[in-house]
Amino acid sequence: MRSEKEMMGLILTVAEKDERIRAVYMNGSRTNPTLKEDLFQDYDIVYVVTETASFLEDERWVDVFGERLMMQEPDKNDQGADGDFADFYGYLMLFTDGNRIDLHIETLPHMQEHYGEDKLTVPLMDKDDCLPEIPDATDEDYHVLKPTEQEYLARCNNFWWCQQNVAKSLWRDEVPYAQFMLECIIRRDLDQMVSWYIGIQTDFMVSTGKVGNYFKKLLPEKYWTMYEATYADGDLEHIWDALFAAGHLFRTLAGHVADEFSFTYRNDEDENMTHYLKQVRKLSPSADRIF
């Protein structure tokens, strides 16, 4: 596997030799000063170019970065081969040595409009002094934000309301929809409550990562253990267990958040839905009424 020094040297050498490339900058995890480096970090690179057309006409130019396992071109996937790529285009490349480069080319006007919007941006090369000055890279834009009371109440309400969708799907033996509701809808509210709790513990000065990537290192061990229990396989009873585990963790952390900000936790929503869930769980498959 090529080292970081080798990869950065290659990325900058390609830019130095190509007159179409006028500047280079990087963002993403490798510019985040709070993260520990690891071998799966991508190289999120942007080349500022005079134009994109010549790059798109002969895509063999990316072969210089190494032998690829696979490449994705998300802009082409989204817009089709005839899309408008005059200002911006991306190549996501995974190489046979395990390295990955997420490389984007953009024109000078596009850069001038968007440069520095991501505060995890570090300039690497500037042939024409075209890159504006920006502050040192920071992940502050990704820090957990304090909730408003309305946001808090809405999350609580949605978390408990959507539980009945899981319950009826489990009774019907419809695992796909039950798992969808648990993982794609309910978990968003649970994760937000977890993030708010972590924010309180850290004075809202940290990021919890994409979809809670850093929960394990930021939560007390007892709460992490409770969080792990909210995941289930395809077994109906295990999904029920995970649903109740999610409820237990949610009410625990929601109570902490409510106390911190003097919000009111709706115990009635919690208690009523929990009673409903317990009733549905014990229904027989041939039941003709819920209560």
Side-chain angles (χ1 to χ4, degrees):
M1 188 173 187
R2 289 168 292 177
S3 68
E4 179 182 31
K5 182 178 180 180
E6 290 175 296
M7 292 299 293
M8 293 303 297
L10 174 59
I11 289 165
L12 293 177
T13 298
V14 170
E16 181 64 39
K17 292 181 177 180
D18 195 326
E19 284 301 309
R20 298 171 299 175
I21 302 171
R22 307 312 302 167
V24 187
Y25 62 91
M26 179 166 64
N27 46 40
S29 63
R30 287 187 177 272
T31 67
N32 190 339
T34 69
L35 295 184
K36 179 181 178 181
E37 294 183 6
D38 69 40
L39 53 92
F40 283 100
Q41 285 181 311
D42 308 336
Y43 294 87
D44 294 297
I45 301 296
V46 181
Y47 283 166
V48 181
V49 298
T50 53
E51 42 75 28
T52 63
S54 61
F55 293 93
L56 298 173
E57 287 170 2
D58 182 9
E59 291 193 341
R60 291 175 299 177
W61 77 274
V62 296
D63 293 346
V64 68
F65 295 107
E67 183 180 358
R68 295 187 299 272
L69 279 173
M70 186 174 178
M71 180 167 74
Q72 183 181 78
E73 297 172 72
D75 302 294
K76 185 180 292 184
N77 287 353
D78 292 342
Q79 300 181 42
D82 297 325
D84 181 5
F85 311 128
D87 296 320
F88 186 82
Y89 196 77
Y91 308 88
L92 313 184
M93 298 174 284
L94 179 63
F95 301 98
T96 55
D97 69 348
N99 276 300
R100 172 176 160 177
I101 299 178
D102 289 358
L103 175 64
H104 291 84
I105 56 174
E106 67 174 351
T107 59
L108 180 63
H110 190 278
M111 179 276 292
Q112 291 171 330
E113 183 177 354
H114 298 284
Y115 185 69
E117 289 179 347
D118 183 347
K119 291 184 179 179
L120 285 173
T121 296
V122 173
L124 300 177
M125 180 184 294
D126 192 351
K127 297 178 182 178
D128 307 317
D129 293 326
C130 63
L131 296 177
E133 288 193 17
I134 56 174
D136 292 339
T138 173
D139 70 344
E140 64 183 39
D141 282 348
Y142 302 92
H143 290 178
V144 181
L145 299 177
K146 294 180 180 180
T148 66
E149 186 169 17
Q150 175 57 35
E151 289 171 336
Y152 173 81
L153 292 174
R155 287 287 181 178
C156 291
N157 177 262
N158 195 63
F159 176 84
W160 290 112
W161 171 256
C162 290
Q163 307 245 342
Q164 47 90 23
N165 291 312
V166 180
K168 67 184 180 184
S169 297
L170 293 175
W171 181 80
R172 292 168 174 167
D173 195 16
E174 296 173 346
V175 169
Y177 187 67
Q179 288 283 47
F180 169 80
M181 290 302 302
L182 179 57
E183 291 302 327
C184 299
I185 307 300
I186 292 170
R187 188 166 301 281
R188 289 186 305 183
D189 298 316
L190 175 63
D191 285 357
Q192 184 62 74
M193 197 60 67
V194 173
S195 294
W196 284 333
Y197 170 80
I198 291 171
I200 292 168
Q201 308 309 309
T202 58
D203 198 24
F204 290 89
M205 294 295 291
V206 301
S207 164
T208 56
K210 292 181 180 178
V211 296
N213 283 348
Y214 311 147
F215 283 174
K216 185 173 184 178
K217 70 177 183 180
L218 293 170
L219 281 172
E221 184 176 355
K222 64 176 181 178
Y223 289 152
W224 173 249
T225 299
M226 292 168 67
Y227 187 82
E228 286 183 306
T230 68
Y231 287 97
D233 55 23
D235 182 273
L236 293 178
E237 290 305 311
H238 294 169
I239 300 173
W240 274 116
D241 290 341
L243 184 63
F244 280 104
H248 180 41
L249 178 59
F250 187 89
R251 75 171 59 89
T252 302
L253 299 186
H256 286 293
V257 176
D259 291 343
E260 174 71 18
F261 296 106
S262 298
F263 296 159
T264 299
Y265 180 65
R266 291 287 303 274
N267 283 298
D268 58 330
E269 295 182 344
D270 178 340
E271 292 170 0
N272 290 343
M273 186 54 69
T274 301
H275 174 65
Y276 177 86
L277 297 178
K278 290 178 179 178
Q279 183 67 19
V280 175
R281 186 174 191 178
K282 67 182 182 182
L283 287 178
S284 71
S286 60
D288 60 2
R289 66 187 66 189
I290 298 174
F291 293 105

